[in-house]
Amino acid sequence: MGIEEFIAALPKAELHVHLVGAASLDTVLELSRRHSRTLVPKDRAELARYYEFTDFPHFINVYSAVNKLVTTPDDVRTMLLGLAHDLAANNVRYAEVTVSAIAHFPYGTGPEALSEALVDGRRRALAEHGVELAWIFDVPMPSDLREGYSTLEYVLDQRPEGTVGLGLAGLEAPYPRAGFKAAFQEARAAGLRSLPHAGETTGPEEIWAALEDLCAERIGHGVSAVDDDRLLKHLVETGIPLEVSLTSNVCTKAVASLAEHSLPRLLDAGVTVTLNTDDPGMFGTNLNREYLLAHEVFGLGRPELAELARNAARAAFCSEQTRSGLLKGIDAVERAAAEQ
Ligand SMILES: [Zn+2]
């Protein structure tokens, strides 16, 4: 079994993927043609150029423009079914999808309509593509505290089927994690998981804030943890997983190059790492490719790649049945590869 075949065969969980950023070029073209007044390109080559980011703030601007294409529940369903199709093609059986609920409200999809579209899309994703979807509702930065509470209010009020947690994404430096302490406290009291991004474009101090102030149960990115030995030790001791996205960090210029990515140092330190795509449509990647990069650039072999897949299954907030299905499937692929 070749390495690509091995990666494709691994049943996977994906824990860090944003609904709008995941939309493939085909899906975005469908929506930009559906809503002809948008500034988002309607031509494939132009759209690909539009997705060449100069830095993280530029990425956020482009993301906001594509987000405005989602104006009806049908647009939400189009994105969800496109995502489920792409996840299935990568043998992803379970995904926690980050949805920026409040970013859709000003453009025509209200709270009830969004929830209905999510529940309907979730049902169809399972029936038509065999992919189980769950939701993380994030406070997208730039936002303010009020919007942090609007997100929480939406989640507590609607809690669409499949809801697992509250997230915090986007620009980090101007919006210290600690400022959202009360909102996350309230979310946790209501049984939601704390799943913020931290240390993507900032140093270890924001990861500490996510852990101590927001009681994070996983860290989105967290790649700057390598700059703080005490933090690495803490992550190893607590087993709190990082959601690492290789291509994303290069595309948004969060790291200068793939070769300089902190993945190997995190693994050497013994941190629990999961691999994710973040925004696969915008970054031209998919989960199989991220595993392949870990092999090609950092020399991870079959046992290490299988362990990364196990980490994601263990770190997922899915049912025990889904988890054991994933873990058994990973074992079976390793056995089949060994017997060849
Ligand atoms: Zn993200």
Side-chain angles (χ1 to χ4, degrees), residues 18-24 27-29 31-32 34-35 38-41 47 50-51 53 58-79 97-110 114 118 136-143 147 151 169 279 282:
H18 299 259
L19 177 63
V20 169
S24 66
T27 299
V28 176
L29 288 172
L31 291 179
S32 64
R34 194 181 287 175
H35 304 293
T38 178
L39 295 175
V40 176
L47 181 59
Y50 188 65
Y51 278 172
F53 308 109
H58 176 227
F59 161 68
I60 295 294
N61 285 340
V62 170
Y63 196 100
S64 303
V66 178
N67 178 72
K68 289 180 192 164
L69 291 174
V70 181
T71 59
T72 69
D74 248 1
D75 298 336
V76 176
R77 270 187 281 268
T78 299
M79 281 203 163
V97 182
T98 295
V99 179
S100 306
I102 60 165
H104 297 305
F105 301 159
Y107 304 107
T109 311
L114 176 66
L118 291 176
I136 298 167
F137 293 100
D138 74 322
V139 187
M141 299 294 132
S143 284
E147 289 171 314
T151 298
D279 300 289
M282 291 186 174

Side-chain angles (χ1 to χ4, degrees), residues 16 18 197 221 278:
H16 189 133
H18 299 259
H197 290 47
H221 297 282
D278 204 7

Side-chain angles (χ1 to χ4, degrees), residues 73-233:
D74 248 1
D75 298 336
V76 176
R77 270 187 281 268
T78 299
M79 281 203 163
L80 279 175
L81 291 176
L83 171 61
H85 168 274
D86 297 341
L87 290 169
N90 285 271
N91 208 0
V92 175
R93 308 274 180 85
Y94 171 86
E96 289 176 13
V97 182
T98 295
V99 179
S100 306
I102 60 165
H104 297 305
F105 301 159
Y107 304 107
T109 311
E112 284 81 15
L114 176 66
S115 301
E116 278 171 32
L118 291 176
V119 170
D120 185 41
R122 182 173 187 262
R123 185 184 51 74
R124 287 183 59 188
L126 189 60
E128 295 169 27
H129 300 284
V131 180
E132 185 182 342
L133 300 179
W135 316 120
I136 298 167
F137 293 100
D138 74 322
V139 187
M141 299 294 132
S143 284
D144 55 27
L145 281 178
R146 189 176 45 78
E147 289 171 314
Y149 278 105
S150 309
T151 298
L152 182 62
E153 205 177 301
Y154 165 77
V155 185
L156 296 183
D157 194 35
Q158 297 280 327
R159 218 163 175 148
E161 207 173 83
T163 297
V164 295
L166 185 67
L168 190 56
L171 294 173
E172 282 186 63
Y175 306 98
R177 314 287 89 175
F180 296 85
K181 184 173 178 171
F184 274 78
Q185 221 162 26
E186 207 174 311
R188 288 191 312 110
L192 294 166
R193 305 293 183 165
S194 168
L195 302 167
H197 290 47
E200 176 184 15
T201 51
T202 55
E205 66 286 350
E206 283 301 304
I207 303 175
W208 278 119
L211 293 167
E212 291 175 346
D213 294 313
L214 310 185
C215 299
E217 293 168 84
R218 290 194 314 249
I219 300 284
H221 297 282
V223 287
S224 66
V226 288
D227 298 330
D228 182 338
D229 287 341
R230 195 168 67 86
L231 177 56
L232 283 178
K233 195 163 168 266

Side-chain angles (χ1 to χ4, degrees), residues 6 37 55 81 84 89 91 103 150 154 158 180 219 228 234 237 256-257 276 280 300 302 325:
F6 178 79
R37 287 172 60 194
D55 56 19
L81 291 176
N91 208 0
S150 309
Y154 165 77
Q158 297 280 327
F180 296 85
I219 300 284
D228 182 338
H234 180 78
E237 280 169 5
S257 71
N276 305 273
L300 270 60
R302 286 171 182 72

Side-chain angles (χ1 to χ4, degrees), residues 317-339:
F317 292 111
C318 58
S319 68
E320 285 313 313
Q321 190 189 357
T322 298
R323 192 187 327 283
S324 77
L326 285 164
L327 292 170
K328 278 183 195 153
I330 295 164
D331 289 347
V333 172
E334 270 208 302
R335 267 199 310 277
E339 280 163 13

